[in-house]
Amino acid sequence: MTISIRQIHPVFVGEVKGVDLRRPLSAEDVEAIEAGMARYAVLVFHDQPLSDEQQVDFSRNFGEIELAVGSNVTRPEDRRIPVELADISNLDRDHQVFARDDRRRMFNLGNELWHSDSSFRAIPAKYSLLSGRVVPKAGGNTEFADMRAAYDALDDETKAEVEDLICEHSLIYSRGLLGFAEFTAEEKVTFAPVRQRLVRTHPVTGRKSLFLASHAGAIVGWPVPEARAFLREMVEHATQRAFVHAHQWRQHDLVIWDNRQTMHRARRYKADEVRDMRRTTIAGDGPTVAQADDAEAPPAARA
Ligand SMILES: [Fe+2]
């Protein structure tokens, strides 16, 4: 079998054929997928019925796994699946659908806002790999937006204005947009804002992209309302339909996206239907910018 990739959207997204992800991959296959990710930013694989272990093994081809800690309000003892996988489902530890007003469900509804995974971490994620184990009959699409196309379409004046802007990202900002504002003292510490550049350059292709997310709630040096109005305008620009692909899930699809050059969001589905998706996440190489406390700390404290 040889891997082949067909572009299925005018600006990005490839559909991959000719590989069984349950088996160990050759170095050539891994290279072909990495090259496809650099070029298309999102890759879709159909008919890949993976176990958790197979998904983790396959993911390790692309770097270190980012563990699913510090990104949710679910307590460790209530986890349904291993910590190498983020639980993108509406199910509790006993595989029962969350009540409509369950705090964990309400927090997870933040996934319906445009975002880049783990932009609220000092080292944001490289890839996300999402496996559709049980998909709802209707709704529940994942939409992707190409942040390279969004950057390219800015006028020169705006490109110059955004070039060196630093944003602050936090789960508290994205959840706040939905009126989810009650956090414990511990959650406030875990979800403390981190700094991210607004413009990133891809390490492989050298293309620039906008690093946006609903987690971004401030711009360093800007008044908050001006920053939020500007970020909202940027997100509107970046998610115009010409830059967006809607993935309609089939059971056993695996979709990989590059968080450094795309945003995504989940779409609504019925509250009482099961949606069991499991995500492995590949950690990024490093921060996009120094954190505030790095810069302010005396040199001795930074060692
Ligand atoms: Fe996400």
Side-chain angles (χ1 to χ4, degrees):
M1 280 199 301
T2 329
I3 288 189
S4 66
I5 306 179
R6 179 176 71 96
Q7 189 168 340
I8 57 170
H9 180 278
V11 297
F12 70 146
V13 189
E15 188 182 65
V16 186
K17 293 245 160 74
V19 62
D20 181 346
L21 305 182
R22 292 170 301 182
R23 298 174 199 287
L25 264 61
S26 67
E28 293 75 37
D29 285 346
V30 174
E31 213 173 286
I33 294 171
E34 286 268 23
M37 286 301 296
R39 178 163 175 191
Y40 303 107
V42 180
L43 291 178
V44 176
F45 302 73
H46 295 296
D47 307 312
Q48 304 286 346
L50 299 171
S51 66
D52 289 344
E53 202 181 348
Q54 288 166 337
Q55 183 173 345
V56 168
D57 287 347
F58 168 64
S59 301
R60 289 213 163 101
N61 286 304
F62 308 106
E64 216 172 288
I65 305 263
E66 179 193 286
L67 298 182
V69 291
S71 50
N72 209 286
V73 295
T74 301
R75 291 189 303 259
E77 61 271 29
D78 289 333
R79 287 194 60 85
R80 189 176 67 99
I81 57 178
V83 73
E84 285 81 12
L85 296 109
D87 195 350
I88 317 294
S89 76
N90 56 352
L91 304 172
D92 66 17
R93 202 177 51 181
D94 303 318
H95 304 272
Q96 298 302 304
V97 172
F98 288 140
R100 195 166 182 182
D101 62 351
D102 189 289
R103 186 167 186 261
R104 294 163 294 181
R105 174 177 185 268
M106 294 193 291
F107 183 87
N108 291 344
L109 285 171
N111 287 327
E112 295 182 14
L113 304 177
W114 286 107
H115 66 282
S116 172
D117 288 333
S118 298
S119 78
F120 50 82
R121 297 185 196 275
I123 298 179
K126 179 189 177 189
Y127 298 161
S128 292
L129 303 89
L130 189 58
S131 165
R133 307 294 177 86
V134 180
V135 304
K137 284 191 279 299
N141 286 355
T142 303
E143 291 188 346
F144 297 95
D146 187 341
M147 294 299 101
R148 308 163 303 179
Y151 176 83
D152 291 346
L154 294 173
D155 59 47
D156 289 344
E157 199 181 319
T158 312
K159 280 181 184 162
E161 189 178 17
V162 297
E163 180 66 25
D164 292 317
L165 290 184
I166 308 297
C167 299
E168 291 183 356
H169 293 233
S170 166
L171 283 160
I172 292 172
Y173 295 141
S174 51
R175 272 49 189 174
L177 294 170
L178 297 182
F180 185 111
E182 310 259 309
F183 294 95
T184 64
E186 192 186 346
E187 286 166 351
K188 282 181 194 162
V189 172
T190 306
F191 301 152
V194 301
R195 291 184 169 190
Q196 304 291 359
R197 292 188 59 86
L198 182 52
V199 177
R200 299 184 74 172
T201 304
H202 195 271
V204 176
T205 64
R207 285 187 74 179
K208 286 187 176 177
S209 59
L210 286 173
F211 192 40
L212 287 164
S214 56
H215 308 309
I219 298 174
V220 175
W222 286 38
V224 168
E226 189 181 357
R228 292 198 185 174
F230 182 73
L231 288 167
R232 181 175 287 215
E233 190 180 308
M234 285 291 107
V235 169
E236 273 181 32
H237 160 79
T239 57
Q240 51 189 290
R241 291 318 283 186
F243 308 147
V244 171
H245 171 74
H247 178 71
Q248 199 175 343
W249 288 92
R250 301 194 326 221
Q251 191 185 23
H252 302 318
D253 281 349
L254 181 92
V255 180
I256 313 181
W257 62 89
D258 187 340
N259 288 294
R260 302 166 302 183
Q261 41 187 0
T262 58
M263 274 203 295
H264 61 280
R265 66 172 175 180
R267 303 311 309 271
R268 293 181 68 207
Y269 59 99
K270 285 210 182 94
D272 58 357
E273 246 193 284
V274 173
R275 186 177 189 254
D276 186 351
M277 323 283 284
R278 302 181 189 201
R279 190 189 83 205
T280 33
T281 313
I282 308 301
D285 293 334
T288 65
V289 67
Q291 297 305 311
D293 40 0
D294 294 343
E296 282 154 20
R302 270 187 272 151

